[in-house]
Amino acid sequence: LLEKDSERTLIPQPSQDSFTHSTPPEPVSFDELVKLINRVTSDPQQAAKFEDKVFVVPAKMKGSHKYFNIEKKKKKYRLDDNKKNVAGDKEDKYEYVMKAHFAGSGTSQLITVLVADQILQPHFQLRPGEMRKLSREDRPKSQKMVQEGGESVTAALSILSSWEATLLLPKIPVITLDG
């Protein structure tokens, strides 16, 4: 969620040809993206100009994460409770949530990024709902698995990569990053 205060947030998501865009992505520098975020947060009416626009921006995680949790998915992002996902598995009602600072190449500017569950899940041995259950049954084992997964996420996101950023418009502006 893009917050109106000094914290700017992006949501990275994978980009392995799983997303189709109505317009081709436009490459922008990290500094240009920060300027865009600042413009949209100071004048939310500007956000409408960038709705459905896709930007490709180089960025990497700086330092360790600021926040990590397993949370219940928001209703609008979930399938109906009894539906199955594309792989035929019943959908997990929970997701991994992580916030971290990201920066561009050669810049000291940081933005706070809400990392998408699709990027986090491959780094953990269990799906979020299963990890939550394990945490109640065997806390030391789950803590060890979360620690290992967190280290794997940090290593992967600390490498400069290109991300696709799309500005969405709920009640407050949101930017998604597709990696």
Side-chain angles (χ1 to χ4, degrees):
L1 295 169
L2 190 57
E3 299 168 11
K4 268 236 177 237
D5 63 358
S6 62
E7 196 171 88
R8 294 171 291 262
T9 306
L10 301 171
I11 306 172
Q13 297 176 354
S15 71
Q16 288 89 8
D17 299 330
S18 58
F19 295 92
T20 57
H21 307 293
S22 56
T23 60
E26 178 184 325
V28 296
S29 71
F30 185 82
D31 291 336
E32 290 170 323
L33 180 65
V34 170
K35 287 176 187 172
L36 171 67
I37 293 169
N38 286 331
R39 191 170 39 188
V40 170
T41 55
S42 64
D43 183 4
Q45 292 176 340
Q46 288 282 322
K49 292 180 183 178
F50 302 103
E51 187 175 16
D52 298 326
K53 185 131 179 94
V54 180
F55 302 96
V56 177
V57 61
K60 66 180 179 178
M61 188 170 131
K62 293 293 261 187
S64 62
H65 68 278
K66 294 177 52 170
Y67 173 83
F68 179 84
N69 203 1
I70 297 173
E71 297 177 358
K72 197 166 193 168
K73 286 183 183 177
K74 306 283 187 257
K75 265 286 197 203
K76 70 178 187 175
Y77 298 113
R78 288 195 346 225
L79 296 172
D80 292 337
D81 290 339
N82 295 321
K83 290 198 176 173
K84 297 183 185 242
N85 63 19
V86 214
D89 301 327
K90 191 165 183 187
E91 186 183 21
D92 199 331
K93 292 181 183 179
Y94 295 92
E95 63 185 345
Y96 292 113
V97 176
M98 185 179 96
K99 284 186 181 180
H101 284 126
F102 271 61
S105 177
T107 181
S108 61
Q109 289 186 329
L110 296 174
I111 54 176
T112 300
V113 174
L114 177 59
V115 181
D117 181 62
Q118 297 92 326
I119 289 182
L120 299 173
Q121 275 201 38
H123 298 277
F124 294 90
Q125 297 174 29
L126 298 174
R127 292 174 31 176
E130 295 165 343
M131 186 69 79
R132 191 171 179 270
K133 181 180 176 189
L134 179 64
S135 176
R136 290 189 302 267
E137 295 169 355
D138 188 348
R139 191 129 181 107
K141 184 177 179 180
S142 74
Q143 286 177 330
K144 182 177 187 241
M145 291 172 75
V146 166
Q147 176 71 31
E148 291 168 354
E151 290 169 2
S152 175
V153 166
T154 299
L157 297 182
S158 295
I159 298 168
L160 187 65
S161 301
S162 288
W163 298 95
E164 290 182 353
T166 306
L167 182 64
L168 304 175
L169 297 171
K171 289 184 181 179
I172 58 171
V174 174
I175 289 189
T176 61
L177 275 183
D178 304 331

